[in-house]
C-alpha cells in the first residue's frame, strides 16, 4: 500500500466513519462526481433518489410490516405465513432485478468494505479529498441497494489503483440501518465459517 492522504478537515469525518462497524466484502458500486457543494440540503438529496430505490425501500418496508405479526402463528395460519414468506422472496427477486438495471457498467467500480458510516472502494485515479460523490451501492447477495452522497476522506495508492474511503454525507436512516444489518449478518456468517473450519482442523487426525 502506498501513500495515505488526509488533512485536518477530514479527521473529524474519519471519526464519523469509524463510529460504525465496517466489514470487508466485495460488492459493486456506481460512482459519479458531484459539484463539490457541502451545503446540499437533505431534502434535495431525497428528491434526487431514483424512483427504483424509493420503490424498493417502500416494498421492503411493507413486507416487513405485513410479515412481522405472523411469526408466532401455527397450524393452517402458519401455512399461510409460510406461503407469504415465499411470496416475499419472489418480491425480493423482482426488487433486485429492478435495482440491477440501475447498475451502469460504465460507472461501475469495486467496493472493498462497507458499514453504517461509509464505504471503501477502488478507483483508477485519485480523486480529491472532500470531493462529493453520488454513489449507488449494490449488495446483491444481501438483497440490498443504497443510493447516497458521500465525501472522500482518505486515499491510499495500491499498485495501479487507488483505494478511496468515503463517509456518508447524505443517506436515508433506513438505508444506513440496512447497511448495518447487512454488515452484522455477514460478520456472523464469517464467524460461523471460521468456527466450522477450526472444528474441522481439530477433528482431523494429525498427519505424520
Amino acid at each position: 500500500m502506498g501513500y495515505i492522504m488526509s488533512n485536518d478537515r477530514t479527521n473529524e469525518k474519519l471519526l464519523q466513519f469509524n463510529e460504525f462497524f465496517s466489514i470487508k466484502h466485495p460488492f459493486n458500486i456506481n460512482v459519479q462526481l458531484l459539484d463539490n457543494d457541502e451545503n446540499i440540503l437533505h431534502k434535495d438529496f431525497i428528491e434526487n433518489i431514483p424512483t427504483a430505490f424509493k420503490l424498493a425501500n417502500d416494498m421492503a418496508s411493507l413486507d416487513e410490516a405485513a410479515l412481522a405479526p405472523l411469526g408466532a402463528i401455527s397450524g393452517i395460519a402458519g401455512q399461510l405465513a409460510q406461503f407469504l414468506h415465499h411470496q416475499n422472496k419472489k418480491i425480493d427477486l423482482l426488487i433486485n432485478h429492478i435495482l440491477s438495471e440501475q447498475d451502469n457498467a460504465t460507472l461501475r467500480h469495486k467496493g472493498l468494505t462497507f458499514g453504517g458510516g461509509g464505504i471503501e472502494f477502488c478507483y483508477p485515479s485519485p480523486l480529491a479529498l472532500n470531493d462529493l460523490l453520488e454513489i449507488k451501492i449494490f449488495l446483491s447477495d444481501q438483497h440490498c441497494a443504497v443510493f447516497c452522497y458521500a465525501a472522500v476522506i482518505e486515499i491510499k495508492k495500491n499498485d495501479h489503483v487507488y483505494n478511496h474511503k468515503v463517509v456518508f454525507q447524505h443517506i436515508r436512516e433506513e438505508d444506513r440501518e440496512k447497511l448495518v444489518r447487512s454488515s452484522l449478518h455477514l460478520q456472523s456468517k464469517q464467524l460461523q465459517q471460521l468456527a466450522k473450519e477450526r472444528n474441522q482442523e481439530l477433528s482431523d487426525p494429525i498427519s505424520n
Side-chain angles (χ1 to χ4, degrees):
M1 194 73 69
Y3 63 87
I4 300 175
M5 298 174 57
S6 62
N7 59 25
D8 292 340
R9 188 180 179 190
T10 60
N11 286 338
E12 183 178 346
K13 293 180 179 179
L14 277 168
L15 292 175
Q16 181 183 340
F17 181 99
N18 292 327
E19 284 178 2
F20 294 87
F21 168 76
S22 60
I23 190 166
K24 184 177 180 180
H25 183 71
F27 57 98
N28 288 336
I29 65 169
N30 286 180
V31 179
Q32 283 187 286
L33 184 63
L34 295 172
D35 291 336
N36 203 11
D37 183 0
E38 294 190 358
N39 296 317
I40 293 176
L41 298 177
H42 191 70
K43 68 179 184 66
D44 295 328
F45 158 74
I46 295 296
E47 290 175 358
N48 289 332
I49 297 176
T51 301
F53 285 85
K54 293 179 180 178
L55 176 63
N57 185 74
D58 291 343
M59 292 177 68
S61 298
L62 288 172
D63 288 339
E64 290 176 5
L67 291 172
L70 301 177
I73 293 178
S74 60
I76 295 176
Q79 294 176 9
L80 173 60
Q82 187 176 19
F83 170 77
L84 291 176
H85 277 289
H86 285 308
Q87 294 301 109
N88 184 49
K89 289 182 179 179
K90 292 180 181 179
I91 293 173
D92 283 342
L93 291 173
L94 176 60
I95 291 173
N96 285 341
H97 174 70
I98 293 172
L99 291 173
S100 68
E101 295 183 342
Q102 291 286 317
D103 186 4
N104 186 336
T106 61
L107 301 174
R108 187 183 300 147
H109 299 279
K110 180 182 176 183
L112 302 172
T113 67
F114 76 92
I119 67 170
E120 187 173 358
F121 64 93
C122 293
Y123 204 74
S125 58
L127 297 168
L129 287 175
N130 299 304
D131 269 354
L132 190 61
L133 311 174
E134 175 191 291
I135 297 180
K136 297 176 182 177
I137 302 170
F138 300 98
L139 298 167
S140 57
D141 58 342
Q142 298 297 304
H143 306 294
C144 176
V146 170
F147 179 90
C148 60
Y149 291 170
V152 178
I153 56 174
E154 187 177 270
I155 306 165
K156 300 179 182 179
K157 187 175 182 181
N158 186 8
D159 294 329
H160 302 296
V161 298
Y162 295 83
N163 294 353
H164 290 71
K165 184 177 289 186
V166 299
V167 66
F168 296 135
Q169 194 89 354
H170 290 286
I171 185 172
R172 293 182 299 184
E173 282 308 309
E174 55 265 39
D175 285 333
R176 191 193 300 275
E177 290 173 6
K178 283 193 293 184
L179 291 173
V180 170
R181 287 198 302 269
S182 294
S183 66
L184 295 176
H185 178 244
L186 284 168
Q187 183 194 40
S188 177
K189 289 178 64 176
Q190 290 180 3
L191 292 175
Q192 289 173 9
Q193 182 62 31
L194 286 173
K196 181 179 178 181
E197 292 172 357
R198 190 177 298 114
N199 289 335
Q200 287 177 343
E201 290 175 359
L202 293 174
S203 62
D204 287 341
I206 299 175
S207 59
N208 294 324

